[in-house]
Amino acid sequence: MDFPPIREELRGLEPYGAPQLDVPVQLNTNENPYGPSEACADDIAASVREAALTLNRYPDREHVALREALAAYLSRDTVAAGFSITPEQVWAANGSNEVMLQLLQAFGGPGRTACSFAPTYSMYPEYARDTLTRWVTGHRAEDFSLDVDAARELIEAEQPSVVLLPSPNNPTGTALPPDAIEVLCKATGAYGGLLVVDEAYTEFRREGTPSALELLPTHRNLVVSRTMSKAFALAGGRLGYLAADPAILDAIRVVRLPYHLSSVTQAAALAALRHAPELLGKVDDLRRERDDVVTWLRAQGLEVADSDANFVLYGRFEDRHAHWEALLAHGVLVREVGPAGWLRVSIGTPEEMAAFRDATTAVLATPAGTLMDPATEEDA
Ligand SMILES: *Cc1c(COP(=O)(O)O)cnc(C)c1O
């Protein structure tokens, strides 16, 4: 008899997660390399101290003050469209991973289907697995863009109750055009499904690309997921949130654990939101650094996916694991993720990116730098 008595389909599976290695240049989990300032840290500490005086009590289950602050923050993306996001439309949890798991708990389950389009975020099928939801994978085009007609056809055929669509996509960096979101909202809405646009990296998107938030007033079945983990420089705070129709929030309330968001988390996130301009202050620098590294990698003869995010997918290497290991030997940690032959590098400080370029130059001159033979690319 096998011990412990884990569910059959989980037996032998590895937990999800990038290696947490202690190396000088960590460019593998898409964090903002610039941490909060002393002033922001002081404000967080003071807010958490105040919360600590009432830690004998459970937190505000409805995290009202935080939802108000998040709604105000989101409304900056919708003023141009002439409306604001209300606290009744906002829900937060411990990272957007928890938000999306809650969506699957409420809207997935046995007899239901969820889907996304690969290559994409590898956590999505895990939410489905953990909620006993059938999982269907569609595929992106060769250039990682979404073939909207093919996506719509798959959605119409499979009728998933939840479609998870990141924009920009991870690990490719590809943003969705707004008309694509609208088409897929209609396709899912036609039979009563939800379209979840995961905007974890939206703050890094190109100028002029609207957020999916603008479509909320016209599409009841649209959910926009956000996080404070990336551009907002608060990955350690574990705070994700969504904006959607209040009826969708009522369904989430049924499945959420009691008091899921601690007083400490709420206090820290509220304090961080007061420092939003400062925490987001490096976003433009990171975008420029991203565009520079794309240009540089292409100049080295590498293939690079266009990116609207704070990371870049590049390749293709004959043996990407050897390339990844060789970079690590130079003290640079990138992510081995995505289709065969590709690697993903997160955008760090100028010094970190210089170290990445130096290490890459060195490794490209060795066997670990060998690029994929075009003949074998066809089968990749
Ligand atoms: C990093 C990331 C998230 C955010 O996860 P948190 O749980 O909020 O830290 C969500 N979606 C995608 C696609 C991501 O890459």
Side-chain angles (χ1 to χ4, degrees), residues 98-132:
E98 185 178 31
V99 169
M100 290 185 279
L101 178 63
Q102 289 175 335
L103 284 167
L104 269 280
Q105 288 175 321
F107 299 102
R112 293 184 167 212
T113 300
C115 96
S116 192
F117 299 86
T120 193
Y121 192 37
S122 41
M123 275 306 296
Y124 296 155
E126 299 207 8
Y127 312 146
R129 178 198 73 198
D130 295 348
T131 57
L132 305 176

PDB file of all heavy atoms in Angstrom, residues 98-132:
ATOM      1  N   GLU A  98      -4.489  32.658  -6.075  1.00  0.00           N
ATOM      2  CA  GLU A  98      -5.627  32.260  -5.249  1.00  0.00           C
ATOM      3  C   GLU A  98      -6.944  32.766  -5.848  1.00  0.00           C
ATOM      4  O   GLU A  98      -7.957  32.057  -5.850  1.00  0.00           O
ATOM      5  CB  GLU A  98      -5.505  32.768  -3.802  1.00  0.00           C
ATOM      6  CG  GLU A  98      -6.650  32.238  -2.945  1.00  0.00           C
ATOM      7  CD  GLU A  98      -6.598  32.635  -1.464  1.00  0.00           C
ATOM      8  OE1 GLU A  98      -6.079  33.723  -1.142  1.00  0.00           O
ATOM      9  OE2 GLU A  98      -7.090  31.850  -0.647  1.00  0.00           O
ATOM     10  N   VAL A  99      -6.912  33.979  -6.396  1.00  0.00           N
ATOM     11  CA  VAL A  99      -8.110  34.520  -7.042  1.00  0.00           C
ATOM     12  C   VAL A  99      -8.589  33.574  -8.145  1.00  0.00           C
ATOM     13  O   VAL A  99      -9.770  33.228  -8.238  1.00  0.00           O
ATOM     14  CB  VAL A  99      -7.813  35.924  -7.629  1.00  0.00           C
ATOM     15  CG1 VAL A  99      -8.953  36.395  -8.522  1.00  0.00           C
ATOM     16  CG2 VAL A  99      -7.554  36.936  -6.518  1.00  0.00           C
ATOM     17  N   MET A 100      -7.638  33.125  -8.984  1.00  0.00           N
ATOM     18  CA  MET A 100      -8.038  32.283 -10.120  1.00  0.00           C
ATOM     19  C   MET A 100      -8.435  30.874  -9.668  1.00  0.00           C
ATOM     20  O   MET A 100      -9.344  30.265 -10.233  1.00  0.00           O
ATOM     21  CB  MET A 100      -6.939  32.271 -11.178  1.00  0.00           C
ATOM     22  CG  MET A 100      -6.829  33.630 -11.874  1.00  0.00           C
ATOM     23  SD  MET A 100      -5.648  33.693 -13.236  1.00  0.00           S
ATOM     24  CE  MET A 100      -4.115  33.896 -12.340  1.00  0.00           C
ATOM     25  N   LEU A 101      -7.785  30.376  -8.610  1.00  0.00           N
ATOM     26  CA  LEU A 101      -8.218  29.086  -8.063  1.00  0.00           C
ATOM     27  C   LEU A 101      -9.652  29.196  -7.539  1.00  0.00           C
ATOM     28  O   LEU A 101     -10.490  28.316  -7.769  1.00  0.00           O
ATOM     29  CB  LEU A 101      -7.276  28.629  -6.946  1.00  0.00           C
ATOM     30  CG  LEU A 101      -7.653  27.309  -6.269  1.00  0.00           C
ATOM     31  CD1 LEU A 101      -7.615  26.142  -7.257  1.00  0.00           C
ATOM     32  CD2 LEU A 101      -6.741  27.013  -5.083  1.00  0.00           C
ATOM     33  N   GLN A 102      -9.953  30.307  -6.852  1.00  0.00           N
ATOM     34  CA  GLN A 102     -11.317  30.514  -6.354  1.00  0.00           C
ATOM     35  C   GLN A 102     -12.314  30.534  -7.515  1.00  0.00           C
ATOM     36  O   GLN A 102     -13.425  30.001  -7.410  1.00  0.00           O
ATOM     37  CB  GLN A 102     -11.403  31.823  -5.565  1.00  0.00           C
ATOM     38  CG  GLN A 102     -10.690  31.756  -4.215  1.00  0.00           C
ATOM     39  CD  GLN A 102     -10.673  33.101  -3.485  1.00  0.00           C
ATOM     40  OE1 GLN A 102     -10.752  34.160  -4.101  1.00  0.00           O
ATOM     41  NE2 GLN A 102     -10.549  33.055  -2.169  1.00  0.00           N
ATOM     42  N   LEU A 103     -11.916  31.143  -8.649  1.00  0.00           N
ATOM     43  CA  LEU A 103     -12.811  31.162  -9.816  1.00  0.00           C
ATOM     44  C   LEU A 103     -13.108  29.743 -10.293  1.00  0.00           C
ATOM     45  O   LEU A 103     -14.247  29.402 -10.626  1.00  0.00           O
ATOM     46  CB  LEU A 103     -12.183  31.977 -10.953  1.00  0.00           C
ATOM     47  CG  LEU A 103     -12.241  33.498 -10.789  1.00  0.00           C
ATOM     48  CD1 LEU A 103     -11.313  34.180 -11.794  1.00  0.00           C
ATOM     49  CD2 LEU A 103     -13.677  34.008 -10.946  1.00  0.00           C
ATOM     50  N   LEU A 104     -12.059  28.902 -10.320  1.00  0.00           N
ATOM     51  CA  LEU A 104     -12.271  27.513 -10.747  1.00  0.00           C
ATOM     52  C   LEU A 104     -13.093  26.740  -9.724  1.00  0.00           C
ATOM     53  O   LEU A 104     -13.899  25.883 -10.069  1.00  0.00           O
ATOM     54  CB  LEU A 104     -10.926  26.829 -10.991  1.00  0.00           C
ATOM     55  CG  LEU A 104     -10.321  26.880 -12.387  1.00  0.00           C
ATOM     56  CD1 LEU A 104     -10.963  25.848 -13.296  1.00  0.00           C
ATOM     57  CD2 LEU A 104     -10.463  28.250 -13.038  1.00  0.00           C
ATOM     58  N   GLN A 105     -12.898  27.059  -8.425  1.00  0.00           N
ATOM     59  CA  GLN A 105     -13.686  26.385  -7.386  1.00  0.00           C
ATOM     60  C   GLN A 105     -15.164  26.721  -7.540  1.00  0.00           C
ATOM     61  O   GLN A 105     -16.032  25.880  -7.336  1.00  0.00           O
ATOM     62  CB  GLN A 105     -13.194  26.806  -5.995  1.00  0.00           C
ATOM     63  CG  GLN A 105     -11.849  26.212  -5.634  1.00  0.00           C
ATOM     64  CD  GLN A 105     -11.320  26.741  -4.300  1.00  0.00           C
ATOM     65  OE1 GLN A 105     -11.460  27.917  -3.987  1.00  0.00           O
ATOM     66  NE2 GLN A 105     -10.707  25.875  -3.529  1.00  0.00           N
ATOM     67  N   ALA A 106     -15.438  27.969  -7.914  1.00  0.00           N
ATOM     68  CA  ALA A 106     -16.836  28.397  -8.021  1.00  0.00           C
ATOM     69  C   ALA A 106     -17.448  28.046  -9.373  1.00  0.00           C
ATOM     70  O   ALA A 106     -18.635  27.730  -9.456  1.00  0.00           O
ATOM     71  CB  ALA A 106     -16.943  29.905  -7.782  1.00  0.00           C
ATOM     72  N   PHE A 107     -16.654  28.099 -10.438  1.00  0.00           N
ATOM     73  CA  PHE A 107     -17.234  27.974 -11.780  1.00  0.00           C
ATOM     74  C   PHE A 107     -16.755  26.745 -12.546  1.00  0.00           C
ATOM     75  O   PHE A 107     -17.233  26.483 -13.643  1.00  0.00           O
ATOM     76  CB  PHE A 107     -16.944  29.243 -12.590  1.00  0.00           C
ATOM     77  CG  PHE A 107     -17.551  30.481 -11.970  1.00  0.00           C
ATOM     78  CD1 PHE A 107     -16.784  31.374 -11.237  1.00  0.00           C
ATOM     79  CD2 PHE A 107     -18.915  30.722 -12.085  1.00  0.00           C
ATOM     80  CE1 PHE A 107     -17.345  32.498 -10.647  1.00  0.00           C
ATOM     81  CE2 PHE A 107     -19.494  31.837 -11.499  1.00  0.00           C
ATOM     82  CZ  PHE A 107     -18.711  32.735 -10.774  1.00  0.00           C
ATOM     83  N   GLY A 108     -15.768  26.009 -11.986  1.00  0.00           N
ATOM     84  CA  GLY A 108     -15.339  24.770 -12.623  1.00  0.00           C
ATOM     85  C   GLY A 108     -15.962  23.595 -11.908  1.00  0.00           C
ATOM     86  O   GLY A 108     -17.069  23.703 -11.390  1.00  0.00           O
ATOM     87  N   GLY A 109     -15.218  22.479 -11.856  1.00  0.00           N
ATOM     88  CA  GLY A 109     -15.707  21.304 -11.140  1.00  0.00           C
ATOM     89  C   GLY A 109     -16.078  20.173 -12.075  1.00  0.00           C
ATOM     90  O   GLY A 109     -16.047  20.336 -13.307  1.00  0.00           O
ATOM     91  N   PRO A 110     -16.418  19.011 -11.493  1.00  0.00           N
ATOM     92  CA  PRO A 110     -16.735  17.838 -12.304  1.00  0.00           C
ATOM     93  C   PRO A 110     -17.838  18.136 -13.326  1.00  0.00           C
ATOM     94  O   PRO A 110     -18.807  18.822 -13.012  1.00  0.00           O
ATOM     95  CB  PRO A 110     -17.219  16.815 -11.266  1.00  0.00           C
ATOM     96  CG  PRO A 110     -16.538  17.234  -9.999  1.00  0.00           C
ATOM     97  CD  PRO A 110     -16.464  18.729 -10.064  1.00  0.00           C
ATOM     98  N   GLY A 111     -17.636  17.653 -14.536  1.00  0.00           N
ATOM     99  CA  GLY A 111     -18.625  17.874 -15.588  1.00  0.00           C
ATOM    100  C   GLY A 111     -18.444  19.203 -16.294  1.00  0.00           C
ATOM    101  O   GLY A 111     -19.183  19.513 -17.233  1.00  0.00           O
ATOM    102  N   ARG A 112     -17.491  19.998 -15.835  1.00  0.00           N
ATOM    103  CA  ARG A 112     -17.249  21.294 -16.459  1.00  0.00           C
ATOM    104  C   ARG A 112     -15.841  21.336 -17.059  1.00  0.00           C
ATOM    105  O   ARG A 112     -14.981  20.531 -16.699  1.00  0.00           O
ATOM    106  CB  ARG A 112     -17.425  22.411 -15.446  1.00  0.00           C
ATOM    107  CG  ARG A 112     -18.881  22.531 -15.011  1.00  0.00           C
ATOM    108  CD  ARG A 112     -19.105  23.688 -14.094  1.00  0.00           C
ATOM    109  NE  ARG A 112     -20.527  23.953 -13.953  1.00  0.00           N
ATOM    110  CZ  ARG A 112     -21.048  25.157 -13.755  1.00  0.00           C
ATOM    111  NH1 ARG A 112     -20.261  26.217 -13.654  1.00  0.00           N
ATOM    112  NH2 ARG A 112     -22.342  25.318 -13.652  1.00  0.00           N
ATOM    113  N   THR A 113     -15.627  22.310 -17.935  1.00  0.00           N
ATOM    114  CA  THR A 113     -14.368  22.414 -18.670  1.00  0.00           C
ATOM    115  C   THR A 113     -13.774  23.801 -18.488  1.00  0.00           C
ATOM    116  O   THR A 113     -14.498  24.788 -18.380  1.00  0.00           O
ATOM    117  CB  THR A 113     -14.645  22.166 -20.177  1.00  0.00           C
ATOM    118  OG1 THR A 113     -15.205  20.863 -20.323  1.00  0.00           O
ATOM    119  CG2 THR A 113     -13.382  22.279 -21.012  1.00  0.00           C
ATOM    120  N   ALA A 114     -12.443  23.845 -18.425  1.00  0.00           N
ATOM    121  CA  ALA A 114     -11.729  25.119 -18.470  1.00  0.00           C
ATOM    122  C   ALA A 114     -10.695  25.020 -19.578  1.00  0.00           C
ATOM    123  O   ALA A 114     -10.271  23.917 -19.927  1.00  0.00           O
ATOM    124  CB  ALA A 114     -11.039  25.411 -17.138  1.00  0.00           C
ATOM    125  N   CYS A 115     -10.290  26.152 -20.147  1.00  0.00           N
ATOM    126  CA  CYS A 115      -9.294  26.065 -21.216  1.00  0.00           C
ATOM    127  C   CYS A 115      -8.420  27.297 -21.300  1.00  0.00           C
ATOM    128  O   CYS A 115      -8.731  28.361 -20.765  1.00  0.00           O
ATOM    129  CB  CYS A 115      -9.955  25.741 -22.556  1.00  0.00           C
ATOM    130  SG  CYS A 115     -10.321  27.134 -23.600  1.00  0.00           S
ATOM    131  N   SER A 116      -7.274  27.118 -21.956  1.00  0.00           N
ATOM    132  CA  SER A 116      -6.391  28.226 -22.298  1.00  0.00           C
ATOM    133  C   SER A 116      -5.651  27.852 -23.580  1.00  0.00           C
ATOM    134  O   SER A 116      -5.943  26.806 -24.178  1.00  0.00           O
ATOM    135  CB  SER A 116      -5.420  28.542 -21.165  1.00  0.00           C
ATOM    136  OG  SER A 116      -4.785  29.782 -21.432  1.00  0.00           O
ATOM    137  N   PHE A 117      -4.724  28.708 -23.993  1.00  0.00           N
ATOM    138  CA  PHE A 117      -4.057  28.530 -25.270  1.00  0.00           C
ATOM    139  C   PHE A 117      -2.543  28.524 -25.077  1.00  0.00           C
ATOM    140  O   PHE A 117      -1.966  29.514 -24.644  1.00  0.00           O
ATOM    141  CB  PHE A 117      -4.505  29.629 -26.248  1.00  0.00           C
ATOM    142  CG  PHE A 117      -5.993  29.553 -26.498  1.00  0.00           C
ATOM    143  CD1 PHE A 117      -6.884  30.188 -25.634  1.00  0.00           C
ATOM    144  CD2 PHE A 117      -6.492  28.780 -27.534  1.00  0.00           C
ATOM    145  CE1 PHE A 117      -8.264  30.074 -25.816  1.00  0.00           C
ATOM    146  CE2 PHE A 117      -7.862  28.658 -27.720  1.00  0.00           C
ATOM    147  CZ  PHE A 117      -8.758  29.305 -26.863  1.00  0.00           C
ATOM    148  N   ALA A 118      -1.914  27.382 -25.354  1.00  0.00           N
ATOM    149  CA  ALA A 118      -0.489  27.185 -25.084  1.00  0.00           C
ATOM    150  C   ALA A 118       0.375  27.740 -26.219  1.00  0.00           C
ATOM    151  O   ALA A 118      -0.080  27.788 -27.361  1.00  0.00           O
ATOM    152  CB  ALA A 118      -0.223  25.686 -24.904  1.00  0.00           C
ATOM    153  N   PRO A 119       1.632  28.132 -25.942  1.00  0.00           N
ATOM    154  CA  PRO A 119       2.249  28.118 -24.622  1.00  0.00           C
ATOM    155  C   PRO A 119       1.706  29.237 -23.732  1.00  0.00           C
ATOM    156  O   PRO A 119       1.586  30.369 -24.155  1.00  0.00           O
ATOM    157  CB  PRO A 119       3.739  28.351 -24.913  1.00  0.00           C
ATOM    158  CG  PRO A 119       3.775  29.062 -26.223  1.00  0.00           C
ATOM    159  CD  PRO A 119       2.584  28.568 -26.991  1.00  0.00           C
ATOM    160  N   THR A 120       1.397  28.866 -22.481  1.00  0.00           N
ATOM    161  CA  THR A 120       0.890  29.867 -21.547  1.00  0.00           C
ATOM    162  C   THR A 120       1.286  29.494 -20.121  1.00  0.00           C
ATOM    163  O   THR A 120       2.098  28.593 -19.913  1.00  0.00           O
ATOM    164  CB  THR A 120      -0.624  30.076 -21.747  1.00  0.00           C
ATOM    165  OG1 THR A 120      -1.031  31.247 -21.045  1.00  0.00           O
ATOM    166  CG2 THR A 120      -1.434  28.884 -21.259  1.00  0.00           C
ATOM    167  N   TYR A 121       0.697  30.176 -19.172  1.00  0.00           N
ATOM    168  CA  TYR A 121       1.067  30.028 -17.760  1.00  0.00           C
ATOM    169  C   TYR A 121       0.801  28.597 -17.293  1.00  0.00           C
ATOM    170  O   TYR A 121      -0.331  28.105 -17.406  1.00  0.00           O
ATOM    171  CB  TYR A 121       0.226  31.008 -16.954  1.00  0.00           C
ATOM    172  CG  TYR A 121       0.638  31.217 -15.511  1.00  0.00           C
ATOM    173  CD1 TYR A 121       1.967  31.232 -15.122  1.00  0.00           C
ATOM    174  CD2 TYR A 121      -0.334  31.446 -14.547  1.00  0.00           C
ATOM    175  CE1 TYR A 121       2.318  31.465 -13.801  1.00  0.00           C
ATOM    176  CE2 TYR A 121       0.000  31.683 -13.219  1.00  0.00           C
ATOM    177  CZ  TYR A 121       1.328  31.685 -12.856  1.00  0.00           C
ATOM    178  OH  TYR A 121       1.668  31.919 -11.556  1.00  0.00           O
ATOM    179  N   SER A 122       1.829  27.961 -16.747  1.00  0.00           N
ATOM    180  CA  SER A 122       1.684  26.534 -16.446  1.00  0.00           C
ATOM    181  C   SER A 122       0.868  26.255 -15.188  1.00  0.00           C
ATOM    182  O   SER A 122       0.573  25.101 -14.898  1.00  0.00           O
ATOM    183  CB  SER A 122       3.063  25.876 -16.361  1.00  0.00           C
ATOM    184  OG  SER A 122       3.966  26.704 -15.684  1.00  0.00           O
ATOM    185  N   MET A 123       0.474  27.282 -14.441  1.00  0.00           N
ATOM    186  CA  MET A 123      -0.386  27.043 -13.281  1.00  0.00           C
ATOM    187  C   MET A 123      -1.848  26.771 -13.679  1.00  0.00           C
ATOM    188  O   MET A 123      -2.585  26.152 -12.920  1.00  0.00           O
ATOM    189  CB  MET A 123      -0.356  28.231 -12.309  1.00  0.00           C
ATOM    190  CG  MET A 123       0.784  28.207 -11.313  1.00  0.00           C
ATOM    191  SD  MET A 123       0.858  26.669 -10.368  1.00  0.00           S
ATOM    192  CE  MET A 123      -0.699  26.731  -9.467  1.00  0.00           C
ATOM    193  N   TYR A 124      -2.265  27.266 -14.846  1.00  0.00           N
ATOM    194  CA  TYR A 124      -3.694  27.133 -15.199  1.00  0.00           C
ATOM    195  C   TYR A 124      -4.191  25.690 -15.143  1.00  0.00           C
ATOM    196  O   TYR A 124      -5.220  25.417 -14.513  1.00  0.00           O
ATOM    197  CB  TYR A 124      -3.975  27.743 -16.576  1.00  0.00           C
ATOM    198  CG  TYR A 124      -3.751  29.228 -16.690  1.00  0.00           C
ATOM    199  CD1 TYR A 124      -3.459  29.810 -17.925  1.00  0.00           C
ATOM    200  CD2 TYR A 124      -3.839  30.072 -15.582  1.00  0.00           C
ATOM    201  CE1 TYR A 124      -3.264  31.184 -18.056  1.00  0.00           C
ATOM    202  CE2 TYR A 124      -3.645  31.437 -15.706  1.00  0.00           C
ATOM    203  CZ  TYR A 124      -3.347  31.993 -16.944  1.00  0.00           C
ATOM    204  OH  TYR A 124      -3.158  33.341 -17.074  1.00  0.00           O
ATOM    205  N   PRO A 125      -3.491  24.737 -15.819  1.00  0.00           N
ATOM    206  CA  PRO A 125      -3.996  23.361 -15.739  1.00  0.00           C
ATOM    207  C   PRO A 125      -3.998  22.816 -14.309  1.00  0.00           C
ATOM    208  O   PRO A 125      -4.787  21.927 -13.998  1.00  0.00           O
ATOM    209  CB  PRO A 125      -3.028  22.575 -16.633  1.00  0.00           C
ATOM    210  CG  PRO A 125      -1.993  23.518 -17.119  1.00  0.00           C
ATOM    211  CD  PRO A 125      -2.378  24.896 -16.760  1.00  0.00           C
ATOM    212  N   GLU A 126      -3.147  23.388 -13.440  1.00  0.00           N
ATOM    213  CA  GLU A 126      -3.152  22.903 -12.049  1.00  0.00           C
ATOM    214  C   GLU A 126      -4.415  23.331 -11.302  1.00  0.00           C
ATOM    215  O   GLU A 126      -4.939  22.580 -10.486  1.00  0.00           O
ATOM    216  CB  GLU A 126      -1.891  23.383 -11.313  1.00  0.00           C
ATOM    217  CG  GLU A 126      -0.635  22.852 -11.985  1.00  0.00           C
ATOM    218  CD  GLU A 126       0.550  22.698 -11.037  1.00  0.00           C
ATOM    219  OE1 GLU A 126       0.379  22.852  -9.810  1.00  0.00           O
ATOM    220  OE2 GLU A 126       1.643  22.403 -11.554  1.00  0.00           O
ATOM    221  N   TYR A 127      -4.923  24.560 -11.585  1.00  0.00           N
ATOM    222  CA  TYR A 127      -6.188  24.950 -10.942  1.00  0.00           C
ATOM    223  C   TYR A 127      -7.281  23.964 -11.368  1.00  0.00           C
ATOM    224  O   TYR A 127      -8.137  23.580 -10.571  1.00  0.00           O
ATOM    225  CB  TYR A 127      -6.679  26.347 -11.351  1.00  0.00           C
ATOM    226  CG  TYR A 127      -5.701  27.489 -11.322  1.00  0.00           C
ATOM    227  CD1 TYR A 127      -5.805  28.522 -12.269  1.00  0.00           C
ATOM    228  CD2 TYR A 127      -4.721  27.581 -10.354  1.00  0.00           C
ATOM    229  CE1 TYR A 127      -4.935  29.600 -12.266  1.00  0.00           C
ATOM    230  CE2 TYR A 127      -3.843  28.657 -10.350  1.00  0.00           C
ATOM    231  CZ  TYR A 127      -3.960  29.664 -11.311  1.00  0.00           C
ATOM    232  OH  TYR A 127      -3.104  30.725 -11.317  1.00  0.00           O
ATOM    233  N   ALA A 128      -7.242  23.595 -12.652  1.00  0.00           N
ATOM    234  CA  ALA A 128      -8.269  22.687 -13.177  1.00  0.00           C
ATOM    235  C   ALA A 128      -8.143  21.313 -12.513  1.00  0.00           C
ATOM    236  O   ALA A 128      -9.123  20.748 -12.019  1.00  0.00           O
ATOM    237  CB  ALA A 128      -8.142  22.578 -14.692  1.00  0.00           C
ATOM    238  N   ARG A 129      -6.924  20.806 -12.477  1.00  0.00           N
ATOM    239  CA  ARG A 129      -6.678  19.498 -11.845  1.00  0.00           C
ATOM    240  C   ARG A 129      -7.170  19.502 -10.398  1.00  0.00           C
ATOM    241  O   ARG A 129      -7.846  18.592  -9.937  1.00  0.00           O
ATOM    242  CB  ARG A 129      -5.169  19.218 -11.902  1.00  0.00           C
ATOM    243  CG  ARG A 129      -4.738  17.929 -11.258  1.00  0.00           C
ATOM    244  CD  ARG A 129      -3.241  17.959 -10.987  1.00  0.00           C
ATOM    245  NE  ARG A 129      -2.935  18.852  -9.878  1.00  0.00           N
ATOM    246  CZ  ARG A 129      -1.722  19.357  -9.627  1.00  0.00           C
ATOM    247  NH1 ARG A 129      -0.712  19.078 -10.421  1.00  0.00           N
ATOM    248  NH2 ARG A 129      -1.530  20.155  -8.597  1.00  0.00           N
ATOM    249  N   ASP A 130      -6.823  20.571  -9.666  1.00  0.00           N
ATOM    250  CA  ASP A 130      -7.126  20.603  -8.233  1.00  0.00           C
ATOM    251  C   ASP A 130      -8.620  20.773  -7.954  1.00  0.00           C
ATOM    252  O   ASP A 130      -9.068  20.507  -6.841  1.00  0.00           O
ATOM    253  CB  ASP A 130      -6.328  21.729  -7.558  1.00  0.00           C
ATOM    254  CG  ASP A 130      -4.823  21.450  -7.621  1.00  0.00           C
ATOM    255  OD1 ASP A 130      -4.439  20.307  -7.972  1.00  0.00           O
ATOM    256  OD2 ASP A 130      -4.036  22.372  -7.337  1.00  0.00           O
ATOM    257  N   THR A 131      -9.373  21.245  -8.962  1.00  0.00           N
ATOM    258  CA  THR A 131     -10.818  21.418  -8.760  1.00  0.00           C
ATOM    259  C   THR A 131     -11.616  20.385  -9.567  1.00  0.00           C
ATOM    260  O   THR A 131     -12.822  20.524  -9.727  1.00  0.00           O
ATOM    261  CB  THR A 131     -11.265  22.838  -9.184  1.00  0.00           C
ATOM    262  OG1 THR A 131     -10.890  23.052 -10.560  1.00  0.00           O
ATOM    263  CG2 THR A 131     -10.611  23.905  -8.318  1.00  0.00           C
ATOM    264  N   LEU A 132     -10.908  19.361 -10.067  1.00  0.00           N
ATOM    265  CA  LEU A 132     -11.548  18.276 -10.822  1.00  0.00           C
ATOM    266  C   LEU A 132     -12.303  18.803 -12.042  1.00  0.00           C
ATOM    267  O   LEU A 132     -13.363  18.316 -12.408  1.00  0.00           O
ATOM    268  CB  LEU A 132     -12.499  17.468  -9.915  1.00  0.00           C
ATOM    269  CG  LEU A 132     -11.860  16.897  -8.646  1.00  0.00           C
ATOM    270  CD1 LEU A 132     -12.912  16.202  -7.787  1.00  0.00           C
ATOM    271  CD2 LEU A 132     -10.728  15.931  -8.978  1.00  0.00           C
TER     272      LEU A 132
END
